[in-house]
Amino acid sequence: MSSDGLSGPVWRGKRRGVMIVLSSPSGAGKTTLAKRLLSQNPDLVLSVSATTRKPRPGEVDGVDYHFLSEDEFKAKIEAGDFYEWAKVFDHYYGTLQDTVEDALNDGRDLVFDIDWQGARSLAAAAPDDVVRVFILPPSMAMLRQRLDKRAQDSDEVITGRMARAREEISHWHEYDYVIINDDFARALEKLDLVLHSERFKRIRHPWVEGFVEALMKEELPPRRS
């Protein structure tokens, strides 16, 4: 069976890729789910965003981010090169349209780890290609507990993340799918089902139109008497 979940003769054409957009409040498990989904689907790739912030130790240009100067980023905004972009904490972040479109046309699927604003912009720019999935925590108490266990942020930062969480969760209804991450293995299974079912959608198989036309014109051989 092929990566698109379909098997068949050589006449089958190339499937168009899908953009799986994941959003959640910080600590709900979105990034971990994305990494596991990528690890068990070798044909799925993580969309690499562009940013104006400086690379952190160990980060590689073109792998972790496309690192641009602010002038370069603004020039791309003016040229309409982004599907979506935003300024967050004095730095710009955005999704480059050409790299995404090349992947989709080549039949590759991409996963996006972005917030609700970026998800909304992507869905508006490419409604037929985008599938939005919102990851919910089982409770706000569990969300706070997960942030505390990270031991990466101060109490002040965690309090701020919890305050933003309610705003982010309020946009859950804008998404195509909602997964409650109360059990990681079950949440991952549901996310994998979303990916594979979306690959089957008619709109992602433009070759079928030509196949059906040929099918309808096909002349049957005479029946044997």
Side-chain angles (χ1 to χ4, degrees), residues 107-124:
R108 288 178 287 140
D109 304 313
L110 299 101
V111 62
F112 294 75
D113 182 346
I114 56 179
D115 65 12
W116 66 267
Q117 292 168 305
R120 178 186 285 180
S121 297
L122 273 180

Side-chain angles (χ1 to χ4, degrees), residues 63-210:
V63 176
D64 298 285
Y65 284 96
H66 297 291
F67 293 102
L68 305 175
S69 69
E70 189 165 315
D71 287 343
E72 289 174 326
F73 199 103
K74 288 180 177 179
K76 288 185 178 295
I77 293 174
E78 290 295 322
D81 291 342
F82 290 108
Y83 263 128
E84 57 83 27
W85 63 272
K87 190 174 184 180
V88 183
F89 301 122
D90 299 325
H91 297 297
Y92 288 91
Y93 294 85
T95 301
L96 289 166
Q97 187 168 339
D98 57 351
T99 56
V100 170
E101 193 63 26
D102 286 347
L104 295 178
N105 288 334
D106 197 37
R108 288 178 287 140
D109 304 313
L110 299 101
V111 62
F112 294 75
D113 182 346
I114 56 179
D115 65 12
W116 66 267
Q117 292 168 305
R120 178 186 285 180
S121 297
L122 273 180
D128 291 337
D129 295 320
V130 172
V131 177
R132 288 176 286 180
V133 183
F134 199 90
I135 309 299
L136 285 171
S139 68
M140 298 303 282
M142 181 63 73
L143 184 66
R144 175 62 191 251
Q145 184 179 341
R146 289 174 179 174
L147 290 173
D148 287 336
K149 282 185 177 180
R150 285 181 180 179
Q152 295 177 345
D153 301 310
S154 65
D155 288 342
E156 183 180 1
V157 170
I158 291 176
T159 299
R161 291 188 186 279
M162 289 300 299
R164 288 194 297 275
R166 296 184 186 277
E167 164 64 15
E168 292 163 341
I169 290 172
S170 72
H171 294 275
W172 69 272
H173 61 280
E174 299 179 19
Y175 287 71
D176 304 296
Y177 301 89
V178 176
I179 297 174
I180 300 174
N181 188 15
D182 55 345
D183 178 271
F184 183 82
R186 186 161 56 239
L188 179 61
E189 181 181 7
K190 291 177 180 178
L191 185 56
D192 195 59
L193 284 171
V194 168
L195 170 64
H196 285 82
S197 63
E198 286 292 334
R199 285 172 169 171
F200 277 106
K201 278 194 171 179
R202 173 187 56 79
I203 199 169
R204 313 208 196 286
H205 298 269
W207 60 269
V208 174
E209 182 176 358

Side-chain angles (χ1 to χ4, degrees), residues 1-22:
M1 184 170 288
S2 65
S3 65
D4 59 8
L6 298 171
S7 59
V10 294
W11 44 252
R12 192 186 69 247
K14 184 176 292 184
R15 173 180 65 84
R16 182 168 174 82
V18 59
M19 300 157 71
I20 300 290
V21 176
L22 303 181

